[in-house]
Amino acid sequence: MALFGSLSERLNHIFSKLTKRGKLTELEIRSAMREVRIALLEADVNIKVAKQFIADVSEKAVGQQVLQSLNPAQQVIKIVNDELIALMGSGNAKLEVSPKPPTVILMCGLQGAGKTTLCGKLALQLKKQGKRPLLVACDIYRPAAIDQLKVVGGKAETEVFEKGTQAPPKTAKQAVEYAKKMGYDTVIVDTAGRLHIDDALMKELEDIKREVEVTEVLLTVDAMTGQDAVNVAETFNTRVGITGVILTKLDGDTRGGACLSIKAVTGKPIKFIGVGEKLTDLEPFYPDRMASRILGMGDVLSLIEKAQEAVSEAEAKEMERKMRESSFTLTDYLSQFEMLKKMGGASSLMNMLPGAGKLKIKEGDIDEKRIERVKAIILSMTPKERDNPQIINYPRKKRIAAGSGTSIQEINQLLKQFEQTKLLMKQFKGGKGKMRMPF
Amino acid sequence: MGIFGKIFQALKKTKDNVSAKMRLLFAKNKLGDEFYDELEEILISSDVSVRTAEEVVEQVKEEAIGNKVKDQQFVTDLLKDILEDTLNAADIPEITYPCVIMFVGVNGVGKTTTIGKVANWFVSQGKSVTVAAADTFRAAAGDQLAVWAERAKVRIVRHEEGSDPSAVIFDAVASAKAKKTDVVLVDTAGRLHVKENLMNELKKMDRVVTREYPEAAFYKFLVLDATTGQNAVNQARVFDEAVELDGIVLTKLDGTAKGGFVFSLCGELGIPVVFAGVGEKMDDLVPFDAEQFVEGFF
C-alpha cells in the first residue's frame, strides 16, 4: 500500500538530527539513498536500473546547497523526483501518423497484458479525434480472441477485419489493402500474447512487419510486472523494434516501477496508460505523475487536473463556502456525487489521492448504480426536505420510497451516510493544516 | 515426480538465474553488510518481496557463523532450506468430493486457461467435471471457456454476457447435484483487488456456493501471474480477506520470470501453492512441488 509520503517520512527521520542547513554531505546522501533504493525496489523498479539511477543521482546530489524553502529530506526527494521525471522522458509522446495512409499500429506483448481491450480503447480515442480506424484480428491462437475483439470493436463502433485462423502476416497485408480501398486511415493490428522467448511467435511479428509498413509497434505491458519487465521489453525491442509502450492496469495499487525499467532499457517513450475496464479509460502518460507514484507519494497533480476538468471554479468555490458554513444540504450531496461521476468515478480518484485510505470513503459507497438510486431518492423529496433532512419522518419516508421506487431502509441508509459525510467535512475542514503536499 | 519435472524445466530456461548471481557474488569476495545487501538483491531480482528477502537474509546471517559465510555451497544450501521450509509452511488442502473450486484473480493472469487445464487434470484423475462460466463481464470469456470445455470433454454451464454471475453458479451447482458431478470449476471475471464493488460481487458468489451446496467441499484458488512483482502480495492479501483463499495457482512459469513472491504468500500469509502453469497446452499444468520449485529457482 502506498502510504502518504512514506518515503518522505523515512527521509525526514534520517535528517531529523540535522538541524543546520547547508550542503548535503556524502554520508547523508548515502543513508538517504538506502531509503530511496527500498522505495524503488518496492515499486518493482529493476534492481540494476535502480542501482544505476541511485549512483547517478547521488553524484548530482552531493554538495548541493539545500534550498531556502526546503528541509534536507525535501531537498533529496526533489532531486530524486526531478531525475525520475528526466529519465522517463519529457512530456507525453503522441502517436505517429504515417505520411502515406493508412497508419499501421502493431500491438504486441505477453499474454494477459490487455492488448485486445486496449485495441478497442485506441480505436475509440482515434474516432473521437475524427480518424477512421480499422481493427484487425491477428490473434489466431487464444480461443475466442477474435470474438472478443469483435465485441470490443462493436462497442467502439469500429469495423473488425478478420480471416479466421489464416496466418497473421497474410491477414495483416490484406487488412491494409482493405483499409486503403475503404478509406480507413488507421489500422490497429491485435496480435496474440506471446512469450518473448518463444522464437516461432516472435518471428511471426517480424514477418508481419515485413509484409506491411508499420508506423507504430506498441508494446503493451501490465503495470504490475515485476523485475522481469526489462527482459521482456529488451527482447521485444531487439526483435521487433518497438516505437512505444502502453502501460495497463494502472487503476490498481501497483506503484508501476516497471515503466522506469522499460524506459531505461529501451529508451522508448510510454505513450498511454490504461486506467480501467471501460473503453474510455485510456490516458496520456505524464512522467511527473508517474514519478511521485513510483516514490509512493500519490498522484497529486492528476487529481488536481481531473478536478479542474470536471468542476468549474465557481462550482468549487460555492461548495467550499458551504463546507465552511456547514450549510451542506442533500441537494449539494447529490451534486457532489455527480461531480465525482464526471471525474471518472470515485475509485480512480481515490487511487490518485495520497492518504485517501484515511478518508474512509470506499468505492462501494459510490458505485455508479447506487448514484442513480441516490439521485432518485433525493429527487423524490420536497425542496424543504432536501434542505432540512431532519424533518423526514416515517410518513415522509414512506412517500419518498414509493416515489423513488426504493425502500425505507435505503432512505435511512442514505440519511445516515449524509450525516457521516457532513461529519467528515467538519473533520476535513478542521484538519486543513495537516493536509500538506509531499513537497 | 522427480526433481526434474516440468516446474524445474520451466524455471531453468532462464539463464539469468540465482546460482549464477551467487557465483558472481562469492567471486567478488565481499564481506559484512555489502555481502548481505547483495544477497538480498539477488532474491529481490527474482521478485521475492522486499520484506521476505530481508527476513531470509537475516536468518542466513544468524546461521552462517564465522567462515561458513564464505562457503558458497553452505550458504546456497542454507538458502534453499530456508526457502523450501517457507513454502512448506502452508499445507496444501486435501481435496474431497464432491467439491466446488472457484478461481479468482486480477485481469489477465490466466484464469480461464487455468480452468481448462485443471478440468483436464481432474478428468485424468477419473473425476467428472462441470465448468461454470461465471465471467459474464469480459467480452467472449464464455466462448473461450466453451472451447476449453470441449477440449477437456467436460460439461459447461453458461448464461449470456452481462448476466448475473451468481445466477450462473446457482445453475451450475443445481446441475452438478442432479448429475452427481464430482467437481465444479467456477471461472470468475478478472478484477483488480482495489475495486471494492467487484470484490463485493465476489463475496456474493462465495455465499451462493456455501448456501446452495453445503454438502460439497468448497475451495477458493487465487490465480497469480508469475511475471507479477511486489504487487502480488497485496493481491493475495486482499483476495484472502474477501473470500478466504485455500490455495494459489501460479501461471506463466514458462516465461523468464520466477515468481519469487510465492515465498511471502506461503510464509507470511499461509496460503499454499497448489498448481503451476507451465505452458499453453492442456497438459501444461502440474501439482506444485516445493523442492522442485526451489531447485529450479536457483
Side-chain angles (χ1 to χ4, degrees):
Chain A
M1 282 286 156
L3 297 168
F4 177 35
S6 61
L7 175 64
S8 56
E9 272 161 30
R10 275 183 274 168
L11 289 181
N12 270 323
H13 182 71
I14 289 183
F15 288 113
S16 61
K17 292 176 199 99
L18 242 148
T19 44
K20 66 170 178 26
R21 286 165 188 274
K23 286 178 177 158
L24 294 168
T25 69
E26 210 180 322
L27 192 71
E28 288 157 31
I29 292 297
R30 207 188 302 154
S31 47
M33 286 304 156
R34 280 181 81 96
E35 298 296 333
V36 174
R37 172 177 157 272
I38 291 174
L40 293 177
L41 294 180
E42 281 175 341
D44 286 320
V45 175
N46 181 271
I47 207 147
K48 287 180 196 148
V49 175
K51 276 182 141 174
Q52 187 57 48
F53 176 78
I54 282 177
D56 294 347
V57 175
S58 304
E59 209 174 296
K60 283 187 187 163
V62 171
Q64 270 203 30
Q65 194 72 37
V66 176
L67 295 176
Q68 269 307 312
S69 52
L70 303 173
N71 65 37
Q74 288 169 329
Q75 177 81 2
V76 170
I77 289 177
K78 188 183 172 332
I79 296 168
V80 171
N81 194 55
D82 288 352
E83 288 298 316
L84 271 180
I85 295 169
L87 188 62
M88 284 189 288
S90 49
N92 68 86
K94 298 230 160 22
L95 280 181
E96 293 293 327
V97 178
S98 169
K100 69 178 198 269
T103 297
V104 179
I105 303 172
L106 181 64
M107 309 290 286
C108 61
L110 298 181
Q111 289 93 341
K115 286 175 295 302
T116 308
T117 310
L118 205 55
C119 284
K121 289 182 180 177
L122 265 184
L124 186 69
Q125 191 165 86
L126 288 168
K127 283 196 91 146
K128 277 188 187 162
Q129 294 164 3
K131 297 251 193 309
R132 297 197 62 215
L134 173 71
L135 288 164
V136 185
C138 281
D139 180 356
I140 59 169
Y141 307 99
R142 180 163 59 94
I146 296 175
D147 296 333
Q148 188 185 349
L149 188 67
K150 279 184 182 165
V151 175
V152 167
K155 283 182 190 156
E157 292 174 3
T158 303
E159 189 182 347
V160 176
F161 184 91
E162 59 114 342
K163 287 283 173 198
T165 54
Q166 172 181 293
K170 195 174 168 189
T171 305
K173 193 174 178 193
Q174 289 170 344
V176 171
E177 279 158 17
Y178 179 76
K180 279 182 192 159
K181 203 170 74 192
M182 303 300 288
Y184 288 113
D185 52 21
T186 315
V187 175
I188 304 169
V189 184
D190 185 25
T191 65
R194 63 203 70 216
L195 285 173
H196 51 296
I197 49 173
D198 186 330
D199 191 56
L201 282 182
M202 290 304 281
K203 192 171 168 297
E204 182 191 275
L205 288 178
E206 293 168 350
D207 289 344
I208 294 178
K209 262 193 93 177
R210 208 166 294 131
E211 283 296 329
V212 299
E213 212 167 299
V214 175
T215 321
E216 289 266 17
V217 181
L218 298 178
L219 178 67
T220 307
V221 182
D222 185 328
M224 293 175 274
T225 309
Q227 295 285 321
D228 201 40
V230 286
N231 296 329
V232 175
E234 201 164 21
T235 316
F236 269 97
N237 193 32
T238 320
R239 293 210 53 170
V240 205
I242 63 169
T243 58
V245 177
I246 301 182
L247 212 58
T248 60
K249 305 180 207 172
L250 264 171
D251 44 334
D253 60 355
T254 178
R255 303 241 298 262
C259 84
L260 189 70
S261 310
I262 294 166
K263 182 70 214 256
V265 297
T266 66
K268 298 293 157 50
I270 290 137
K271 299 212 166 183
F272 295 102
I273 57 172
V275 292
E277 298 195 63
K278 291 195 294 295
L279 282 189
T280 48
D281 293 331
L282 184 71
E283 293 179 359
F285 174 77
Y286 294 102
D288 46 350
R289 299 171 190 178
M290 201 64 215
S292 41
R293 181 166 179 155
I294 290 175
L295 292 174
M297 298 193 297
D299 194 351
V300 184
L301 278 166
S302 286
L303 180 70
I304 294 167
E305 193 173 271
K306 276 212 166 183
Q308 278 170 345
E309 258 175 39
V311 188
S312 75
E313 206 180 334
E315 277 178 307
K317 275 212 171 117
E318 175 65 13
M319 192 60 77
E320 200 198 308
R321 185 187 64 79
K322 289 194 161 156
M323 275 170 75
R324 206 171 45 237
E325 293 169 5
S326 300
S327 61
F328 190 69
T329 66
L330 275 165
T331 316
D332 303 322
Y333 190 54
L334 180 63
S335 66
Q336 255 209 346
F337 268 120
E338 283 175 338
M339 267 186 222
L340 262 180
K341 206 173 159 184
K342 270 199 273 179
M343 288 194 259
S347 54
S348 65
L349 277 176
M350 287 302 140
N351 282 329
M352 287 186 280
L353 189 65
K358 292 174 194 160
L359 284 181
K360 287 182 192 147
I361 299 174
K362 291 178 183 161
E363 186 181 11
D365 295 342
I366 325 176
D367 88 47
E368 300 192 354
K369 275 182 206 148
R370 280 233 355 237
I371 295 182
E372 288 310 310
R373 299 183 79 82
V374 165
K375 201 170 155 182
I377 294 174
I378 296 179
L379 290 178
S380 299
M381 295 175 182
T382 63
K384 200 176 161 196
E385 284 166 347
R386 287 179 217 168
D387 291 339
N388 311 290
Q390 66 277 10
I391 65 166
I392 302 177
N393 52 16
Y394 184 73
R396 282 178 192 266
K397 280 179 192 167
K398 249 170 92 176
R399 192 205 75 238
I400 296 166
S404 57
T406 56
S407 63
I408 290 182
Q409 208 183 0
E410 272 176 282
I411 293 166
N412 286 335
Q413 214 178 0
L414 168 70
L415 291 174
K416 205 172 137 198
Q417 252 182 4
F418 172 69
E419 282 309 317
Q420 281 173 347
T421 308
K422 268 178 93 168
L423 205 72
L424 195 71
M425 284 185 166
K426 265 188 198 155
Q427 288 172 354
F428 206 60
K429 196 178 59 177
K432 217 172 184 177
K434 289 173 204 150
M435 289 284 291
R436 271 186 299 138
M437 292 289 173
F439 51 88
Chain B
M1 186 192 332
I3 293 228
F4 303 107
K6 282 189 168 180
I7 295 177
F8 179 82
Q9 298 300 342
L11 285 167
K12 267 301 168 203
K13 263 195 253 169
T14 315
K15 45 185 189 307
D16 198 20
N17 57 28
V18 174
S19 311
K21 286 177 190 155
M22 297 269 291
R23 266 198 301 282
L24 261 172
L25 171 60
F26 280 93
K28 281 193 262 183
N29 204 16
K30 284 191 175 165
L31 286 170
D33 278 353
E34 245 178 298
F35 172 83
Y36 289 113
D37 276 359
E38 281 199 34
L39 195 57
E40 212 174 284
E41 283 172 6
I42 289 174
L43 294 174
I44 294 172
S45 65
S46 296
D47 291 318
V48 174
S49 82
V50 173
R51 195 172 143 191
T52 302
E54 280 172 357
E55 283 168 5
V56 167
V57 168
E58 201 53 47
Q59 232 173 308
V60 172
K61 232 185 221 179
E62 273 170 30
E63 293 185 36
I65 311 156
N67 266 337
K68 280 183 175 166
V69 75
K70 286 186 190 161
D71 182 346
Q72 186 182 341
Q73 193 59 46
F74 178 84
V75 175
T76 307
D77 288 345
L78 181 60
L79 263 179
K80 282 184 185 172
D81 280 350
I82 295 171
L83 291 175
E84 206 181 309
D85 284 351
T86 316
L87 288 182
N88 288 327
D91 285 330
I92 294 179
E94 186 78 30
I95 303 273
T96 59
Y97 304 93
C99 69
V100 178
I101 307 178
M102 184 160 88
F103 293 81
V104 301
V106 302
N107 318 64
V109 289
K111 282 178 295 300
T112 309
T113 307
T114 295
I115 289 182
K117 295 186 208 169
V118 172
N120 181 60
W121 185 83
F122 276 112
V123 169
S124 75
Q125 306 286 307
K127 302 293 174 194
S128 55
V129 178
T130 294
V131 295
D135 177 358
T136 54
F137 180 78
R138 180 167 59 93
D143 294 337
Q144 189 183 347
L145 189 64
V147 173
W148 278 108
E150 205 183 301
R151 285 181 189 169
K153 299 188 179 62
V154 300
R155 286 185 328 117
I156 179 168
V157 173
R158 58 184 295 199
H159 290 184
E160 55 192 73
E161 224 162 272
S163 58
D164 180 5
S166 292
V168 180
I169 296 178
F170 188 93
D171 281 1
V173 164
S175 143
K177 279 187 200 166
K179 308 228 169 184
K180 299 201 169 14
T181 312
D182 298 319
V183 185
V184 179
L185 303 174
V186 180
D187 191 15
T188 64
R191 64 199 74 224
L192 287 175
H193 49 293
V194 296
K195 312 247 165 173
E196 193 151 321
N197 53 348
L198 294 181
M199 294 307 278
N200 284 336
E201 180 189 81
L202 203 58
K203 286 184 199 163
K204 184 179 164 199
M205 290 154 81
D206 183 6
R207 284 195 300 272
V208 169
V209 175
T210 312
R211 191 183 63 215
E212 296 301 322
Y213 205 2
E215 60 273 36
F218 183 21
Y219 309 97
K220 284 143 282 183
F221 289 171
L222 174 69
V223 183
L224 280 171
D225 181 339
T227 326
T228 313
Q230 304 282 328
N231 194 248
V233 183
N234 281 6
Q235 289 174 30
R237 187 173 290 123
V238 180
F239 273 102
D240 190 35
E241 275 165 16
V243 295
E244 275 185 60
L245 298 172
D246 300 282
I248 305 278
V249 181
L250 187 60
T251 61
K252 309 187 199 175
L253 262 185
D254 47 332
T256 48
K258 300 221 163 186
F261 54 79
V262 293
F263 298 112
S264 312
L265 305 182
C266 300
E268 246 178 75
L269 302 177
I271 310 167
V273 185
V274 181
F275 286 109
V278 292
E280 291 191 291
K281 288 192 297 297
M282 195 153 67
D283 55 355
D284 286 334
L285 175 102
V286 288
F288 188 73
D289 181 285
E291 189 184 356
Q292 212 188 111
F293 183 82
V294 172
E295 283 302 327
F297 190 77
F298 271 81

